[in-house]
Amino acid sequence: MALVEHWIGGGFTAGTSGRRGPVFNPATGRQQHEVALGGAAEVDAAVSAATEAFEQWGQASLSRRTKVLFAFRELVNANIGRLAEIVSDEHGKVLSDAAGEVQRGLEVIEFACGIPQLLKGSFSDQASTGVDVFGFREPLGVCAGITPFNFPAMVPMWMHPVAIACGNTFVLKPSERDPSVSGLVASLWQQAGLPDGVFNVVHGDKAAVDAILGHPGVAAVSFVGSTPIARYIHERATATGKRVQALGGAKNHAVIMPDADLSFAAAQLSAAAFGSAGERCMAISAAVAVGPAAEALMPVLAQQAATVVVGPGRDPRSEMGPVVTAGAKQRIEGLIDSGESQGAKVLVDGRGLRVAGHEDGFFVGPTVLDQVRPEMAVYTEEIFGPVLSVVRAAGVDEAIALINSNPYGNGTAIFTGSGAAARRFQREVHVGMIGINVPIPVPMAYYSFGGWKDSLFGAHHIHGPEGVAFYTRGKVVTSRWPAQQSMSDASLHFPTAT
Ligand code: NAD
């Protein structure tokens, strides 16, 4: 069985830990690869390679860095199909969706191609008599990224193009469930002319993560994954003096107002709940039907859900693939059971779905639960599967209160025909990313992506301007050239402008 290897210092290596993990094809339910699981030795080798590479790369001109970024952009663009196939085979999502995730990652690379503009400093001429002040930003050193299974290409691309464009070197610890795409990305960086050691990949699980968090050579950690691990990463990395941004889980609500175009809303909700089998941090998992909206919405929504074509990701007829592991399937079906036993009405039931020719695949069909109440586990838990829970609310006040009482604050949306309702919603919800008649409001790469509350720990959102700020630190220079003026202003009192 092929081994998925680490990429350290410009080449593949099996490492020395000897530990291995299985990588499945979720559509067949069969193991297809083994992945090397690194530990302290592999992380140390990668950090050493990245530290050595930083000596040169941290000094590389903006022009040189930009040329590498543009070449990398071209290579990723030329390889979208291959990258998407690898993602689909290990994650399970349909090919068009996998290509979409690479496309969104590509947009971050395009943003990073503008690094000379993004890193322009500031200059104040004659801040004091004969004195100029200027500010600019420098890279941090070795940065690490720890990423989830659900976007194995895009989420790492939220990080490494920006970090590397800023002059840092990078160690990526991808999800061990779908690790292979990171090896291809590493070789594309190399083909683009990135010096060896600037981008490294260490595969692994908690052992590799803990080695990163404890390594004194790592300056900053970017994490994306579930909330309990995000909280742990934030606490551990902060305790060891690292800069950290840790993006966590979500429970994204969509509010459907009675004045919305309900057939438009139903189609959008279905796509946002069941695309990628609901395994998106911006998936809509709770629909809040306001007042009379529910009665008209539910039949259309049920019909939309029931007609989603579920099948293997490689079949172009499939609209939705399997979930990632047998464990995920069991957990999701268990939560649907619990919702039913707690009184939710199962309007469309995806449990026990069998896909012809793929009977052992990890498939769960689209599921719609109506009459869900906030105390039910299907509402409180992040299901991370193709399950849409519909909650009823009497009015917009109740809908906003429901969202604001949720511990997560990643994304939310409102469907309405009223500008006043939309504006009130955008101002009053405690959530980082908001859609108005847009169900999955993932910001473009030139804005930053990030949630509030338990969906993000740390001060910076990811990519966009906040990504550049995260991967650099400011320096301010106050300068004068004494030959140009007399030194007579020397004084022991605190310097003030003259
Ligand atoms: P996860 O938290 O299980 O894993 C994320 C990373 O942490 C992986 O690299 C994994 O190897 C590592 N990890 C897992 N357990 C660990 C432990 N005990 N100690 C140290 N490291 C550990 O998340 P996942 O299941 O891969 O991904 C799904 C989750 O990610 C969902 O909660 C989803 O909402 C979230 N997510 C959030 C965003 C966002 O932008 N906020 C984006 C994508 C996914």
Side-chain angles (χ1 to χ4, degrees):
M1 193 162 283
L3 180 68
V4 182
E5 297 188 318
H6 315 290
W7 175 278
I8 297 175
F12 286 110
T13 167
T16 54
S17 82
R19 291 176 62 230
R20 306 272 187 267
V23 180
F24 288 90
N25 180 332
T28 63
R30 284 193 288 277
Q31 186 180 339
Q32 54 177 336
H33 307 301
E34 275 193 321
V35 58
L37 299 177
E42 289 78 5
V43 167
D44 192 49
V47 175
S48 298
T51 305
E52 200 182 318
F54 180 66
E55 283 175 28
Q56 300 286 319
W57 187 249
Q59 301 299 324
S61 69
L62 284 168
S63 167
R64 174 152 180 239
R65 283 186 254 156
T66 306
K67 284 190 174 69
V68 173
L69 261 296
F70 268 88
F72 182 56
R73 188 265 168 209
E74 290 306 302
L75 286 161
V76 171
N77 192 39
N79 283 279
I80 287 181
R82 253 175 95 202
L83 292 159
E85 283 172 4
I86 299 172
V87 168
S88 174
D89 287 351
E90 293 184 358
H91 174 283
K93 63 178 74 175
V94 300
L95 266 181
S96 55
D97 190 35
E101 97 157 75
V102 180
Q103 178 60 40
R104 292 305 297 258
L106 190 68
E107 288 165 10
V108 181
I109 304 170
E110 289 166 355
F111 167 77
C113 284
I115 198 67
Q117 180 68 21
L118 295 165
L119 281 185
K120 264 186 175 170
S122 51
F123 189 95
S124 297
D125 172 60
Q126 194 78 336
S128 182
T129 308
V131 175
D132 302 328
V133 179
F134 55 98
F136 58 99
R137 301 190 71 83
E138 291 188 348
L140 306 176
V142 180
C143 301
I146 301 162
T147 52
F149 82 85
N150 66 321
F151 284 108
M154 180 189 77
V155 167
M157 285 180 190
W158 285 354
M159 305 171 182
H160 56 81
V162 181
I164 287 172
C166 289
N168 300 284
T169 56
F170 202 83
V171 177
L172 173 65
K173 205 302 285 171
S175 171
E176 63 276 36
R177 294 185 218 158
D178 42 17
S180 297
V181 74
S182 296
L184 177 53
V185 169
S187 71
L188 296 179
W189 267 124
Q190 190 175 57
Q191 287 172 53
L194 191 72
D196 291 346
V198 176
F199 180 73
N200 305 275
V201 180
V202 176
H203 295 294
D205 50 18
K206 180 171 171 54
V209 171
D210 285 347
I212 289 170
L213 298 175
H215 201 298
V218 175
V221 176
S222 300
F223 172 87
V224 177
S226 60
T227 287
I229 312 298
R231 189 179 275 120
Y232 168 76
I233 301 277
H234 184 251
E235 284 169 5
R236 279 288 308 274
T238 304
T240 52
K242 301 184 194 316
R243 187 177 285 205
V244 56
Q245 54 182 181
L247 283 68
K251 191 81 188 177
N252 305 312
H253 295 61
V255 174
I256 300 91
M257 298 293 287
D259 62 8
D261 175 338
L262 292 179
S263 58
F264 171 83
Q268 297 288 323
L269 279 178
S270 171
F274 308 128
S276 199
E279 293 171 323
R280 291 180 181 144
C281 64
M282 291 290 276
I284 294 293
S285 55
V288 186
V290 173
E295 291 317 313
L297 180 74
M298 293 318 296
V300 196
L301 190 55
Q303 199 256 341
Q304 290 276 354
T307 52
V308 172
V309 181
V310 184
R314 286 288 201 122
D315 184 336
R317 289 166 301 184
S318 304
E319 293 176 302
M320 187 186 115
V323 298
V324 68
T325 56
K329 174 178 160 72
Q330 203 180 7
R331 190 182 49 78
I332 294 162
E333 293 188 336
L335 277 161
I336 302 170
D337 292 345
S338 86
E340 188 173 36
S341 65
Q342 289 181 315
K345 206 167 138 203
V346 185
L347 227 54
V348 182
D349 191 351
R351 289 171 291 188
L353 176 75
R354 286 251 175 280
V355 173
H358 290 77
E359 285 75 10
D360 294 328
F362 310 138
F363 291 97
V364 182
T367 299
V368 179
L369 302 176
D370 195 10
Q371 311 282 358
V372 170
R373 291 189 313 276
E375 65 276 12
M376 294 179 186
V378 280
Y379 181 80
T380 56
E381 298 277 313
E382 182 188 25
I383 302 177
F384 222 56
V387 181
L388 181 62
S389 299
V390 182
V391 186
R392 317 270 179 126
V396 71
D397 293 344
E398 193 181 326
I400 292 174
L402 196 62
I403 294 169
N404 288 349
S405 63
N406 197 278
Y408 298 109
N410 212 41
T412 187
I414 185 167
F415 289 91
T416 181
S418 155
R423 186 165 186 276
R424 182 171 166 211
F425 184 79
Q426 81 198 21
R427 297 192 77 243
E428 292 185 16
V429 283
H430 303 162
V431 174
M433 295 171 283
I434 296 165
I436 295 167
N437 297 312
V438 172
I440 304 195
V442 174
M444 295 302 288
Y446 39 90
Y447 284 82
S448 297
F449 179 109
W452 287 15
K453 302 193 283 185
D454 284 358
S455 295
L456 191 145
F457 303 92
H460 293 93
H461 288 194
I462 208 160
H463 71 63
E466 295 203 20
V468 174
F470 180 78
Y471 289 123
T472 54
R473 53 187 166 180
K475 206 172 229 183
V476 179
V477 179
T478 304
S479 107
R480 75 176 151 200
W481 297 95
Q484 296 170 357
Q485 61 167 81
S486 88
M487 290 292 289
S488 61
D489 67 344
S491 160
L492 268 70
H493 71 65
F494 197 66
T496 51
T498 54

